[in-house]
Amino acid sequence: MTEGKITDLAVYDNKMLEETVLIEFNRQIGKDTWLMGFRSADLASLAKPGQFLMIHLDRNTKDPLLRRPFSIHRIQDRNQLMILYKIVGKGTLLLSSLKEGDPISVIGPLGNGFTISGPHERTLLIAGGMGIAPLFFLAQALNKVQKHTIKMFLGFSTSQEVVLVDQLKGLNIDLSLTTEDGSLGIKGLVTDLLDEYLRQELNKKPVIYACGPTLMLKKVAQMAITSNLRCYVSLEGYMACGLGICQGCAVKAGNSKDKPYYYVCQDGPVFSSEMIDWRAM
Ligand SMILES: Cc1cc2nc3c(=O)[nH]c(=O)nc-3n(C[C@H](O)[C@H](O)[C@H](O)COP(=O)(O)OP(=O)(O)OC[C@H]3O[C@@H](n4cnc5c(N)ncnc54)[C@H](O)[C@@H]3O)c2cc1C
Ligand code: FES
């Protein structure tokens, strides 16, 4: 199938579009984990790693409460975008029922995205579960500016949840896989690997990019702050409007005197680790 027909296109500003795209594929790739692809040259040309899309989940209703945020997981052939998602409730279950050729309404790209500040001696990506979704796109982009191999710690609860290992290795990534139950890879948590890594590589001042469950991010951020390392975390907390209107995504600021809260959808979802008050998370 070629590029999806654009049935509706409204430009809110020069960086964000609302577009109805046609699903090119929507397939299960792991336990409750799905990969969906669609084409939009406009969205693909604007998208940066770490940004997200608000996707409407049901073509039979215009109910705005049925939009959900999903990270831009991958861009391929310049105009194909992919999202990687896990079924956790009503919306994601609806999403998994959509078929090739079905239209979906997409708003994006939203949020700030990751800061890619030139080549570093060491770059470490840390992903927990679906946290791999935005980090894959980031790895694609980092590969274009980094001369050295990117290191990644990727963690899941159990082997049935493990996805994308071969594709990540194809991106020239030095991958260490963990599962909490030890059914695949190293038994334990990605933060155990980080602990070990920092003991050996701290003097190389690695730059850390992390996405995953809040508890994982909290630990990664605290370790980075203690070690005085640059660390960017992408928060995937609850979001309603995704557009800075409902204030439902506020997180307490850690170091800002004039801004007590950040809104994840507008100020984030990516934050430098010291920007967040982790005691409140
Ligand atoms: C910026 C951003 C990017 C995201 N990117 C991705 C992605 O790439 N892939 C992906 O699978 N998910 C991603 N998420 C999370 C995704 O948006 C939620 O899983 C989804 O909205 C759940 O919708 P639902 O209707 O299926 O679940 P609901 O019916 O709304 O909730 C079902 C259950 O899931 C829990 N839940 C809902 N949202 C979240 C959340 N954000 N974090 C933890 N638990 C939640 C609820 O507490 C409830 O127990 C992202 C979230 C944000 C804010
Ligand atoms: S989700 Fe509504 S303000 Fe952020």
Side-chain angles (χ1 to χ4, degrees):
M1 190 172 147
T2 54
E3 185 154 350
K5 187 175 156 228
I6 297 172
T7 52
D8 176 25
L9 177 67
V11 179
Y12 288 110
D13 64 34
N14 61 356
K15 290 197 182 114
M16 183 173 82
L17 310 171
E18 178 178 0
E19 190 171 322
T20 298
V21 297
L22 302 183
I23 293 171
E24 200 166 39
F25 62 84
N26 188 23
R27 58 172 175 263
Q28 187 167 9
I29 61 163
K31 184 169 178 280
D32 296 329
T33 307
W34 290 63
L35 186 68
M36 174 186 280
F38 50 85
R39 289 192 192 261
S40 164
D42 293 324
L43 283 169
S45 68
L46 292 172
K48 290 191 298 181
Q51 289 190 299
F52 65 98
L53 306 168
M54 289 297 285
I55 297 186
H56 201 280
L57 306 169
D58 187 354
R59 64 198 172 105
N60 297 317
T61 162
K62 288 205 178 303
D63 182 354
L65 295 178
L66 272 175
R67 275 195 194 275
R68 295 285 187 277
F70 296 96
S71 302
I72 300 166
H73 165 59
R74 212 184 300 186
I75 292 193
Q76 209 159 271
D77 306 332
R78 290 176 180 269
N79 67 355
Q80 185 185 56
L81 294 97
M82 293 185 211
I83 61 162
L84 176 77
Y85 64 96
K86 184 160 194 159
I87 299 177
V88 296
K90 177 184 169 188
T92 40
L93 187 62
L94 268 173
L95 197 62
S96 70
S97 70
L98 299 179
K99 304 272 179 278
E100 179 187 331
D102 282 345
I104 44 165
S105 163
V106 177
I107 295 178
L110 296 164
N112 56 357
F114 288 104
T115 302
I116 300 177
S117 51
H120 312 293
E121 196 178 345
R122 289 279 185 281
T123 307
L124 175 62
L125 310 190
I126 306 178
M130 283 302 98
I132 186 57
L135 293 193
F136 193 101
F137 186 15
L138 176 67
Q140 283 184 314
L142 284 171
N143 259 333
K144 293 180 186 151
V145 294
Q146 303 288 19
K147 298 272 179 288
H148 59 80
T149 304
I150 295 161
K151 177 105 193 129
M152 178 183 272
F153 299 151
L154 173 62
F156 294 93
S157 306
T158 182
S159 61
Q160 289 171 304
E161 294 182 351
V162 175
V163 289
L164 299 178
V165 168
D166 290 341
Q167 290 90 330
L168 285 163
K169 286 183 179 159
L171 282 181
N172 189 30
I173 284 182
D174 175 12
L175 183 69
S176 300
L177 178 71
T178 65
T179 50
E180 284 176 48
D181 63 3
S183 51
L184 196 64
I186 302 158
K187 182 174 181 176
L189 302 169
V190 282
T191 44
D192 302 336
L193 297 189
L194 178 60
D195 202 23
E196 180 69 29
Y197 178 82
L198 290 183
R199 268 189 240 137
Q200 293 167 15
E201 302 281 340
L202 187 56
N203 59 338
K204 306 257 173 49
K205 292 276 167 208
V207 176
I208 300 173
Y209 297 89
C211 186
T214 305
L215 275 181
M216 180 204 104
L217 293 181
K218 183 173 179 172
K219 192 148 187 211
V220 169
Q222 285 168 339
M223 289 164 87
I225 291 167
T226 307
S227 304
N228 201 20
L229 294 176
R230 204 155 2 132
C231 172
Y232 301 99
V233 296
S234 180
L235 300 182
E236 295 199 340
Y238 299 99
M239 233 177 231
C241 71
L243 300 168
I245 301 163
C246 73
Q247 306 189 344
C249 62
V251 290
K252 202 155 180 263
N255 61 358
S256 172
K257 290 195 176 58
D258 46 14
K259 200 163 188 184
Y261 290 93
Y262 292 116
Y263 295 114
V264 175
C265 66
Q266 287 213 306
D267 302 312
V270 179
F271 296 91
S272 190
S273 53
E274 73 285 350
M275 290 173 74
I276 304 298
D277 182 349
W278 293 101
R279 293 165 306 176
M281 298 291 280

